[in-house]
């Protein structure tokens, strides 16, 4: 197991190299960074001075080498909007996004697993049909629309919850609900189908033939083996909750990476945008590594 984890950590290096390559050249493909950063009324002398200051007068490969060296040392340049290192700006906003994403992940996982197991146990009943249908509807609804509807209902009409910004736990309720509805809607049918498939396995019939209680059969024997696809889908949801919260954070004015990226894209602050993409990529890589480790803990038959 330790050897496998070591190999996976080494595999992160080429992945980060590819990400840095894509981030570097996509910024260049979007246009001249100098024209992006300077206002239209800037003089040719101003443009030449900034091009020299940013090292854009050097060959492209040399620029990429400098960029790689800076990224390796955690430097992405100075933010035009905030006037400080882009890394510092991202690290200031990262805790708010992690708070929102982690709570949403826990809530959606609990809801998805509990409702998925109940739907499997109550197959073809009214409960199963209702929540299976709601999960399809939940996957079809865009997160920004869900957020706006929650604001109109609980913030504007009922006035139960604040509609935007950070503050108390009440400010978290609607953003977390928005992300959790979308995520749990994907987990419910997956848990349901996994449980239904496993409930027909031979070892489940053997456990029942021994006279074990149904609750013990489901939660000790069936549920544990049904978790593997759930772990996979939840690991895939992490980048969606981190990067995909871009729209949700904008709707609720939540001061995290999502809102930061929108502001910096509109303000053409590419240094911060690059830093956000790299940090989100790192979180995604760590989430996938954690999922692989959890596989082995859930199912000892897995050998790497």
């Amino acid at each position: 197991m330790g050897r496998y984890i070591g190999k996976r950590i080494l595999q992160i290096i080429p992945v980060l190299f590819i990400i840095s390559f894509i981030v570097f050249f996509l910024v260049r493909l979007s246009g001249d960074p100098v024209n992006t950063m300077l206002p239209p009324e800037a003089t040719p002398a101003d443009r030449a001075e900034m091009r020299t200051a940013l090292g854009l007068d050097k060959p492209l490969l040399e620029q990429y080498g400098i960029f790689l060296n800076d990224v390796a040392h955690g430097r992405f340049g100075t933010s035009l909007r905030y006037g400080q290192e882009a890394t510092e700006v991202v690290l200031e906003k990262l805790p708010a996004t992690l708070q929102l994403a982690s709570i949403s992940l826990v809530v959606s996982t609990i809801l998805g697993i509990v409702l998925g197991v109940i739907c499997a146990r109550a197959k073809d009943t009214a409960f199963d049909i209702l929540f299976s249908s709601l999960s399809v509807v939940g996957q079809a609804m865009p997160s920004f629309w869900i957020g706006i509807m929650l604001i109109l209902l609980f913030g504007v009409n009922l006035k139960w919850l604040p509609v935007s910004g950070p503050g108390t736990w009440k400010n978290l309720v609607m953003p977390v609900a928005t992300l959790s509805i979308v995520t749990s809607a994907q987990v419910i049918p997956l848990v349901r189908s996994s449980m239904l498939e496993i409930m027909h396995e031979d070892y489940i019939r053997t456990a029942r033939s021994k006279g074990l209680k149904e609750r013990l059969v489901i939660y000790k024997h069936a549920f544990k083996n049904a978790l593997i696809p759930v772990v996979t889908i939840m690991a895939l949801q992490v980048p969606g909750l981190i990067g995909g919260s871009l729209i949700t954070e904008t709707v609720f004015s939540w001061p995290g990476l999502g809102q930061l990226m929108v502001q910096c894209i509109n303000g053409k602050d590419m240094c911060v945008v690059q830093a956000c993409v790299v940090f989100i990529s790192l979180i995604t890589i760590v989430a996938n590594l954690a999922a692989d480790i959890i596989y082995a803990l859930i199912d000892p038959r897995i050998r790497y």
Side-chain angles (χ1 to χ4, degrees):
M1 187 67 179
R3 185 178 178 183
Y4 169 76
I5 295 175
K7 287 182 178 180
R8 283 300 310 271
I9 292 174
L10 290 176
Q11 290 173 2
I12 293 176
I13 298 174
V15 172
L16 290 177
F17 179 81
I18 295 171
I19 292 170
S20 68
F21 181 85
I22 294 173
V23 168
F24 176 81
F25 283 100
L26 279 181
V27 171
R28 267 61 182 178
L29 289 174
S30 64
D32 187 351
V34 173
N35 293 332
T36 302
M37 296 176 182
L38 287 178
E41 60 271 14
T43 64
D46 293 334
R47 297 179 187 280
E49 183 180 353
M50 174 164 277
R51 187 169 280 104
T52 303
L54 296 175
L56 298 176
D57 55 340
K58 297 180 174 62
L60 197 60
L61 288 178
E62 186 176 347
Q63 293 180 40
Y64 180 59
I66 295 171
F67 174 75
L68 275 181
N69 181 66
D70 289 341
V71 171
H73 290 84
R75 299 191 299 264
F76 292 89
T78 302
S79 168
L80 298 176
R81 180 185 179 90
Y82 296 94
Q84 59 186 117
E85 276 289 326
T87 306
E88 296 177 3
V89 176
V90 172
L91 290 177
E92 287 177 3
K93 302 292 185 179
L94 185 60
T97 293
L98 291 178
Q99 180 188 32
L100 179 60
S102 59
I103 296 175
S104 301
L105 184 65
V106 171
V107 172
S108 59
T109 302
I110 294 174
L111 280 177
I113 290 176
V114 171
L115 292 176
V117 171
I118 295 176
C119 286
R121 294 188 65 182
K123 181 186 176 184
D124 297 332
T125 63
F127 184 93
D128 178 32
I129 295 172
L130 173 63
F131 280 95
S132 296
S133 302
L134 288 177
S135 65
V136 174
V137 174
Q139 294 180 59
M141 293 188 298
S143 59
F144 71 87
W145 184 84
I146 296 174
I148 293 172
M149 292 301 103
L150 291 177
I151 289 174
L152 289 175
L153 177 60
F154 296 105
V156 177
N157 295 329
L158 298 177
K159 301 185 186 301
W160 288 354
L161 299 169
V163 298
S164 64
T168 64
W169 62 270
K170 291 184 178 181
N171 296 79
L172 272 169
V173 173
M174 287 197 289
V176 168
T178 301
L179 293 174
S180 299
I181 288 172
V182 177
T183 306
S184 60
Q186 300 179 34
V187 178
I188 291 172
L190 183 64
V191 174
R192 178 185 180 276
S193 60
S194 297
M195 285 292 295
L196 289 176
E197 181 180 354
I198 288 173
M199 293 300 288
H200 293 90
E201 294 289 336
D202 291 339
Y203 67 89
I204 297 297
R205 286 195 290 267
T206 302
R208 283 173 171 162
S209 66
K210 291 180 178 179
L212 295 178
K213 293 182 179 179
E214 185 67 14
R215 179 177 297 180
L216 189 62
V217 171
I218 290 175
Y219 292 104
K220 183 177 180 180
H221 297 279
F223 177 66
K224 188 176 180 180
N225 291 294
L227 276 181
I228 292 180
V230 177
V231 172
T232 302
I233 193 65
M234 296 315 299
L236 294 175
Q237 291 300 323
V238 170
L241 289 172
I242 300 294
S245 61
L246 183 149
I247 297 175
T248 304
E249 289 184 3
T250 302
V251 170
F252 292 100
S253 297
W254 187 259
L257 286 185
Q259 189 183 50
L260 176 66
M261 285 186 69
V262 171
Q263 293 173 347
C264 290
I265 289 172
N266 292 333
K268 300 177 180 179
D269 196 347
M270 291 298 115
C271 293
V272 177
V273 174
Q274 288 177 330
C276 288
V277 172
V278 172
F279 272 88
I280 291 172
S281 302
L282 276 172
I283 294 172
T284 303
I285 291 170
V286 172
N288 289 330
L289 176 61
D292 288 340
I293 295 173
I294 294 173
Y295 290 156
L297 297 177
I298 294 175
D299 191 350
R301 296 172 299 176
I302 294 177
R303 293 292 180 266
Y304 297 98

